[in-house]
């Protein structure tokens, strides 16, 4: 029995439909007609004997089979684009769009400043930033790369560490004068915590001391937020104590409007990483942006002097 080749074109079209959430938008993005896209999906479903996409008059939704197939289909699309573009760009100017996901506060504070030089150097590259603290699925959602501030878990994704991001227990000097300067994590039970909800364990603070080891506490929380930038005004106004990434508070620390509380106890630092889909094949437009961000962010302002 002769084994048929997989319908790679149809799988790539399926991935684009899922990414765009629309047959017509996928057709426009791929430069195809709407009937061509519809026929490709129908061809796949007939070949498999099951539905990949549930259609209504107003929207589409992936079936269970479609969701199960999406990550690999997206990889087919990405790999095909990368191979063609890498081959075609060896002697040409990088061009096209790069999709990048980045944390909201960090992106606003630092990525914008990296753009002018990049846009000047590469006038035919467009950059599509998605700023959110949500951890996106790079492959399934069609992103070329992401910036992540985290302790990365093992995965099939490729990563490049750019720099360290310390997490600091901070408060205003006025707050510490009024509520006391803690010397041990247990004392935080008497304090007013302001907490970021995006960590590994909601409201759990872990500290390490060079001789006393590790301590875990759950201080009483007055304010919860999924964006740590929101906490700085309350901190500056003396309304609480918080664990903040250094990139959000380094200016205030140098100005003396915030202070590090309990300096003998530290929180495990995170890394700023560039994360990429698993294939080492990348379009030139993506690689030059990776190299640019690595140069710009490897020596961040909060780590200088």
């Amino acid at each position: 029995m002769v084994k048929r080749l997989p319908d790679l074109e149809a799988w790539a079209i399926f991935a684009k439909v899922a990414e765009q959430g629309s047959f017509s938008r996928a057709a426009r993005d791929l430069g195809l007609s709407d009937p061509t896209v519809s026929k490709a999906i129908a061809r796949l479903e007939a070949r498999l004997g099951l539905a990949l996409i549930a259609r209504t008059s107003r929207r589409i939704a992936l079936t269970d089979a479609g969701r199960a197939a999406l990550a690999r289909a997206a990889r087919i699309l990405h790999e095909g684009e990368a191979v063609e573009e890498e081959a075609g760009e060896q002697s040409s100017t990088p061009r096209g769009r790069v999709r990048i996901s980045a944390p909201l506060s960090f992106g606003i504070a630092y990525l914008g400043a990296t753009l002018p030089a990049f846009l000047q150097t590469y006038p035919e590259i467009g950059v599509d930033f998605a700023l959110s603290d949500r951890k996106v699925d790079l492959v399934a959602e069609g992103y070329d790369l992401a910036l992540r501030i985290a302790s990365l878990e093992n995965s099939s994704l490729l990563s490049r560490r750019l720099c360290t991001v310390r997490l600091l227990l901070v408060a205003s000097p006025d707050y510490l004068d009024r509520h006391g300067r803690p010397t041990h994590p247990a004392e935080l039970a008497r304090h007013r915590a302001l907490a970021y909800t995006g960590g590994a364990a909601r409201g759990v603070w872990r500290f390490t001391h060079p001789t006393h080891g590790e301590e875990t506490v759950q201080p009483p929380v007055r304010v919860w937020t999924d964006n740590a930038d929101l906490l700085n005004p309350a901190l500056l106004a003396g309304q609480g104590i918080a664990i903040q990434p250094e990139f959000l508070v380094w200016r205030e620390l140098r100005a003396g409007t915030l202070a590090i509380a309990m300096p003998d106890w530290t929180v495990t630092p995170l890394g700023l990483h560039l994360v990429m889909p698993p294939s080492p094949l990348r379009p030139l437009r993506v690689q030059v942006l990776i190299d640019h961000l690595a140069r710009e962010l490897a020596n961040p302002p909060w780590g200088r002097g």
Side-chain angles (χ1 to χ4, degrees):
M1 179 179 176
V2 178
K3 188 175 181 179
R4 294 181 299 172
L5 286 171
D7 194 340
L8 299 179
E9 180 183 46
W11 280 117
I13 290 172
F14 164 73
K16 183 62 71 173
V17 170
E19 175 192 312
Q20 296 294 328
S22 162
F23 279 70
S24 58
R25 287 198 294 271
R28 286 197 300 272
D29 205 30
L30 293 170
L32 301 174
S33 68
D34 287 7
T36 298
V37 170
S38 295
K39 288 177 182 176
I41 302 303
R43 192 166 71 240
L44 269 185
E45 293 177 328
R47 180 169 180 156
L48 298 171
L50 47 80
L52 297 171
I53 296 175
R55 305 160 179 81
T56 69
S57 59
R58 303 183 65 178
R59 61 186 295 271
I60 68 167
L62 298 184
T63 64
D64 289 343
R67 285 191 293 272
L70 178 56
R72 284 192 172 92
R75 193 170 293 121
I76 289 170
L77 174 63
H78 178 83
E79 294 279 353
E81 289 177 337
V83 168
E84 290 189 355
E85 291 179 24
E86 186 177 74
E89 289 174 345
Q90 294 304 316
S91 60
S92 65
T93 302
R95 59 175 55 85
R97 182 182 64 151
V98 182
R99 296 190 72 211
I100 176 171
S101 169
L104 178 60
S105 293
F106 183 86
I108 292 172
Y110 297 101
L111 287 186
T114 72
L115 272 179
F118 181 79
L119 297 176
Q120 176 70 29
T121 305
Y122 301 104
E124 296 188 47
I125 296 179
V127 186
D128 182 351
F129 283 103
L131 300 183
S132 169
D133 290 343
R134 180 177 70 88
K135 184 179 177 181
V136 304
D137 185 326
L138 266 69
V139 175
E141 298 180 50
Y143 286 94
D144 295 298
L145 67 151
L147 277 166
R148 287 186 180 158
I149 299 171
S151 296
L152 290 185
E153 59 206 37
N154 291 330
S155 76
S156 62
L157 299 175
L158 302 177
S159 65
R160 180 172 176 178
R161 184 184 178 96
L162 302 183
C163 64
T164 297
V165 177
R166 292 195 300 166
L167 298 175
L168 306 173
L169 181 68
V170 296
S172 71
D174 175 65
Y175 171 89
L176 295 172
D177 289 342
R178 287 184 289 111
H179 295 276
R181 298 174 183 269
T183 59
H184 189 278
E187 297 173 26
L188 294 174
R190 301 193 297 271
H191 282 262
R192 301 175 177 183
L194 313 176
Y196 173 62
T197 60
R202 179 182 170 100
V204 176
W205 290 359
R206 290 184 174 86
F207 298 91
T208 301
H209 190 277
T211 57
H212 301 307
E214 184 176 288
E215 292 283 343
T216 300
V217 296
Q218 287 186 277
V221 176
R222 295 189 70 198
V223 178
W224 296 99
T225 179
D226 63 355
N227 183 267
D229 220 6
L230 181 143
L231 300 178
N232 271 13
L235 285 169
L236 291 167
Q239 293 303 307
I241 191 167
I243 294 175
Q244 291 284 75
E246 187 175 12
F247 69 80
L248 282 183
V249 295
W250 66 276
R251 293 182 180 89
E252 291 78 5
L253 290 171
R254 292 188 183 180
T257 53
L258 290 178
I260 297 176
M262 213 168 62
D264 292 338
W265 291 82
T266 59
V267 180
T268 301
L270 303 176
L272 175 63
H273 303 267
L274 276 169
V275 181
M276 297 144 278
S279 171
L281 291 173
R282 280 186 292 275
L284 187 57
R285 66 177 189 274
V286 176
Q287 188 59 53
V288 295
L289 180 57
I290 289 171
D291 293 341
H292 175 78
L293 292 176
R295 286 192 301 271
E296 292 290 318
L297 300 175
N299 183 29
W302 63 84
R304 301 173 196 159

